[in-house]
Amino acid sequence: MYIFIGSMILITYELPDSYRAFYLLGFASIYPIVIAPLVGYLSRATGTPFDRPVNAALWHQLFVLFLISQTITTLGYFLLIIPGIYLSVRLSLSEFYIILNNSNWINAIKKSWQTTEPIQWPLMASAGLLMTLGLFADIQLLECRNTSCLTPWLIEALNTSLSAVLMITLTVFYFRIYSLTEQKEPTLG
């Protein structure tokens, strides 16, 4: 999930620094409100009961996790991308531990780090593939911006939509990994 900081930076590239910070904080504020119901839906769809409301305590845990994970992942990207993917993958199950296991963000990070250790390389390959697809699409959209083949607002809308689709795809993928590692084999229900 944390791979898309690059897309957020691309979207905000032309904004002044103060606006960019507000955009990223706004995204971080909305993220818990979107991710918790999505994970709840995935949980219910696979036969696991889920009735946890998105309240202030859950929002706070996910908000803090998002900020910390984004900071760690971004630092990893500054170290030539591969460390960023590695850190993103190792933190990828954290939000599931917060939402489904009622963990706090510290324990969720620890548990995610432990759980992903034996499967880190296949996860890195999968995340790298999705990141490459997203980056390819971003490059195509930037090329459209440079050649003026689409209006700037349409390019931004396509970029934002693409990021959302890829983020949801990664959420579903990581939920499947979480389900398998927790010995809760999802069933179609």
mmCIF file of all heavy atoms in Angstrom, residues 162-179:
data_model
loop_
_atom_site.group_PDB
_atom_site.id
_atom_site.type_symbol
_atom_site.label_atom_id
_atom_site.label_comp_id
_atom_site.label_asym_id
_atom_site.label_seq_id
_atom_site.Cartn_x
_atom_site.Cartn_y
_atom_site.Cartn_z
ATOM 1 N N LEU A 162 -5.789 5.899 -11.362
ATOM 2 C CA LEU A 162 -4.850 4.781 -11.480
ATOM 3 C C LEU A 162 -4.244 4.440 -10.122
ATOM 4 O O LEU A 162 -4.148 3.273 -9.751
ATOM 5 C CB LEU A 162 -3.751 5.126 -12.481
ATOM 6 C CG LEU A 162 -2.619 4.116 -12.594
ATOM 7 C CD1 LEU A 162 -3.142 2.824 -13.219
ATOM 8 C CD2 LEU A 162 -1.477 4.688 -13.401
ATOM 9 N N SER A 163 -3.860 5.456 -9.383
ATOM 10 C CA SER A 163 -3.292 5.222 -8.052
ATOM 11 C C SER A 163 -4.303 4.533 -7.146
ATOM 12 O O SER A 163 -3.951 3.618 -6.397
ATOM 13 C CB SER A 163 -2.845 6.542 -7.420
ATOM 14 O OG SER A 163 -1.747 7.062 -8.119
ATOM 15 N N ALA A 164 -5.552 4.959 -7.215
ATOM 16 C CA ALA A 164 -6.590 4.339 -6.381
ATOM 17 C C ALA A 164 -6.803 2.875 -6.762
ATOM 18 O O ALA A 164 -6.905 2.009 -5.892
ATOM 19 C CB ALA A 164 -7.896 5.117 -6.510
ATOM 20 N N VAL A 165 -6.851 2.580 -8.051
ATOM 21 C CA VAL A 165 -7.044 1.197 -8.495
ATOM 22 C C VAL A 165 -5.871 0.328 -8.056
ATOM 23 O O VAL A 165 -6.056 -0.786 -7.553
ATOM 24 C CB VAL A 165 -7.239 1.137 -10.030
ATOM 25 C CG1 VAL A 165 -7.119 -0.283 -10.557
ATOM 26 C CG2 VAL A 165 -8.575 1.749 -10.408
ATOM 27 N N LEU A 166 -4.655 0.821 -8.222
ATOM 28 C CA LEU A 166 -3.489 0.043 -7.812
ATOM 29 C C LEU A 166 -3.444 -0.131 -6.295
ATOM 30 O O LEU A 166 -3.055 -1.189 -5.796
ATOM 31 C CB LEU A 166 -2.207 0.687 -8.331
ATOM 32 C CG LEU A 166 -1.981 0.548 -9.832
ATOM 33 C CD1 LEU A 166 -0.759 1.338 -10.264
ATOM 34 C CD2 LEU A 166 -1.851 -0.902 -10.248
ATOM 35 N N MET A 167 -3.853 0.882 -5.549
ATOM 36 C CA MET A 167 -3.867 0.773 -4.092
ATOM 37 C C MET A 167 -4.886 -0.274 -3.648
ATOM 38 O O MET A 167 -4.608 -1.088 -2.761
ATOM 39 C CB MET A 167 -4.174 2.130 -3.452
ATOM 40 C CG MET A 167 -3.969 2.139 -1.959
ATOM 41 S SD MET A 167 -3.978 3.778 -1.262
ATOM 42 C CE MET A 167 -5.708 4.141 -1.293
ATOM 43 N N ILE A 168 -6.051 -0.292 -4.269
ATOM 44 C CA ILE A 168 -7.064 -1.297 -3.935
ATOM 45 C C ILE A 168 -6.579 -2.693 -4.327
ATOM 46 O O ILE A 168 -6.758 -3.660 -3.578
ATOM 47 C CB ILE A 168 -8.409 -0.952 -4.604
ATOM 48 C CG1 ILE A 168 -9.007 0.287 -3.942
ATOM 49 C CG2 ILE A 168 -9.378 -2.128 -4.536
ATOM 50 C CD1 ILE A 168 -10.190 0.875 -4.665
ATOM 51 N N THR A 169 -5.930 -2.795 -5.480
ATOM 52 C CA THR A 169 -5.377 -4.080 -5.905
ATOM 53 C C THR A 169 -4.362 -4.597 -4.894
ATOM 54 O O THR A 169 -4.382 -5.774 -4.523
ATOM 55 C CB THR A 169 -4.733 -3.953 -7.297
ATOM 56 O OG1 THR A 169 -5.714 -3.486 -8.225
ATOM 57 C CG2 THR A 169 -4.158 -5.274 -7.772
ATOM 58 N N LEU A 170 -3.484 -3.720 -4.443
ATOM 59 C CA LEU A 170 -2.503 -4.130 -3.433
ATOM 60 C C LEU A 170 -3.178 -4.496 -2.117
ATOM 61 O O LEU A 170 -2.750 -5.430 -1.438
ATOM 62 C CB LEU A 170 -1.480 -3.017 -3.199
ATOM 63 C CG LEU A 170 -0.235 -3.082 -4.054
ATOM 64 C CD1 LEU A 170 0.671 -1.899 -3.770
ATOM 65 C CD2 LEU A 170 0.509 -4.378 -3.867
ATOM 66 N N THR A 171 -4.217 -3.772 -1.740
ATOM 67 C CA THR A 171 -4.933 -4.092 -0.503
ATOM 68 C C THR A 171 -5.524 -5.488 -0.585
ATOM 69 O O THR A 171 -5.401 -6.282 0.357
ATOM 70 C CB THR A 171 -6.034 -3.054 -0.222
ATOM 71 O OG1 THR A 171 -5.441 -1.768 -0.084
ATOM 72 C CG2 THR A 171 -6.794 -3.396 1.046
ATOM 73 N N VAL A 172 -6.156 -5.816 -1.703
ATOM 74 C CA VAL A 172 -6.735 -7.150 -1.871
ATOM 75 C C VAL A 172 -5.632 -8.212 -1.853
ATOM 76 O O VAL A 172 -5.750 -9.247 -1.203
ATOM 77 C CB VAL A 172 -7.566 -7.230 -3.175
ATOM 78 C CG1 VAL A 172 -7.995 -8.651 -3.479
ATOM 79 C CG2 VAL A 172 -8.776 -6.306 -3.075
ATOM 80 N N PHE A 173 -4.538 -7.941 -2.543
ATOM 81 C CA PHE A 173 -3.411 -8.882 -2.580
ATOM 82 C C PHE A 173 -2.851 -9.100 -1.176
ATOM 83 O O PHE A 173 -2.674 -10.248 -0.739
ATOM 84 C CB PHE A 173 -2.318 -8.347 -3.514
ATOM 85 C CG PHE A 173 -1.053 -9.154 -3.480
ATOM 86 C CD1 PHE A 173 -1.000 -10.411 -4.062
ATOM 87 C CD2 PHE A 173 0.083 -8.649 -2.864
ATOM 88 C CE1 PHE A 173 0.172 -11.159 -4.037
ATOM 89 C CE2 PHE A 173 1.255 -9.388 -2.836
ATOM 90 C CZ PHE A 173 1.295 -10.646 -3.423
ATOM 91 N N TYR A 174 -2.584 -8.025 -0.453
ATOM 92 C CA TYR A 174 -2.024 -8.160 0.898
ATOM 93 C C TYR A 174 -3.035 -8.764 1.875
ATOM 94 O O TYR A 174 -2.649 -9.449 2.819
ATOM 95 C CB TYR A 174 -1.498 -6.828 1.416
ATOM 96 C CG TYR A 174 -0.204 -6.414 0.764
ATOM 97 C CD1 TYR A 174 -0.022 -5.117 0.305
ATOM 98 C CD2 TYR A 174 0.834 -7.305 0.600
ATOM 99 C CE1 TYR A 174 1.166 -4.731 -0.288
ATOM 100 C CE2 TYR A 174 2.023 -6.927 0.002
ATOM 101 C CZ TYR A 174 2.183 -5.644 -0.445
ATOM 102 O OH TYR A 174 3.356 -5.266 -1.030
ATOM 103 N N PHE A 175 -4.324 -8.532 1.654
ATOM 104 C CA PHE A 175 -5.323 -9.176 2.496
ATOM 105 C C PHE A 175 -5.262 -10.687 2.301
ATOM 106 O O PHE A 175 -5.383 -11.454 3.260
ATOM 107 C CB PHE A 175 -6.735 -8.668 2.191
ATOM 108 C CG PHE A 175 -7.786 -9.347 3.023
ATOM 109 C CD1 PHE A 175 -7.990 -8.968 4.339
ATOM 110 C CD2 PHE A 175 -8.546 -10.382 2.508
ATOM 111 C CE1 PHE A 175 -8.938 -9.596 5.125
ATOM 112 C CE2 PHE A 175 -9.499 -11.023 3.286
ATOM 113 C CZ PHE A 175 -9.695 -10.634 4.602
ATOM 114 N N ARG A 176 -5.089 -11.100 1.091
ATOM 115 C CA ARG A 176 -4.961 -12.538 0.814
ATOM 116 C C ARG A 176 -3.736 -13.101 1.529
ATOM 117 O O ARG A 176 -3.802 -14.175 2.141
ATOM 118 C CB ARG A 176 -4.877 -12.771 -0.692
ATOM 119 C CG ARG A 176 -4.709 -14.190 -1.089
ATOM 120 C CD ARG A 176 -5.978 -14.979 -0.849
ATOM 121 N NE ARG A 176 -5.791 -16.324 -1.360
ATOM 122 C CZ ARG A 176 -6.250 -17.396 -0.780
ATOM 123 N NH1 ARG A 176 -6.957 -17.316 0.315
ATOM 124 N NH2 ARG A 176 -6.033 -18.575 -1.294
ATOM 125 N N ILE A 177 -2.637 -12.401 1.478
ATOM 126 C CA ILE A 177 -1.420 -12.836 2.173
ATOM 127 C C ILE A 177 -1.677 -12.882 3.679
ATOM 128 O O ILE A 177 -1.325 -13.854 4.353
ATOM 129 C CB ILE A 177 -0.231 -11.897 1.857
ATOM 130 C CG1 ILE A 177 0.083 -11.900 0.355
ATOM 131 C CG2 ILE A 177 0.996 -12.262 2.680
ATOM 132 C CD1 ILE A 177 0.443 -13.239 -0.224
ATOM 133 N N TYR A 178 -2.297 -11.826 4.198
ATOM 134 C CA TYR A 178 -2.626 -11.793 5.627
ATOM 135 C C TYR A 178 -3.491 -12.989 6.005
ATOM 136 O O TYR A 178 -3.235 -13.667 7.004
ATOM 137 C CB TYR A 178 -3.345 -10.483 5.967
ATOM 138 C CG TYR A 178 -3.990 -10.479 7.326
ATOM 139 C CD1 TYR A 178 -3.238 -10.179 8.456
ATOM 140 C CD2 TYR A 178 -5.336 -10.794 7.482
ATOM 141 C CE1 TYR A 178 -3.816 -10.187 9.715
ATOM 142 C CE2 TYR A 178 -5.921 -10.815 8.731
ATOM 143 C CZ TYR A 178 -5.164 -10.502 9.847
ATOM 144 O OH TYR A 178 -5.740 -10.529 11.086
ATOM 145 N N SER A 179 -4.510 -13.273 5.218
ATOM 146 C CA SER A 179 -5.417 -14.392 5.498
ATOM 147 C C SER A 179 -4.664 -15.719 5.523
ATOM 148 O O SER A 179 -4.897 -16.553 6.389
ATOM 149 C CB SER A 179 -6.529 -14.460 4.458
ATOM 150 O OG SER A 179 -7.331 -13.317 4.517
#
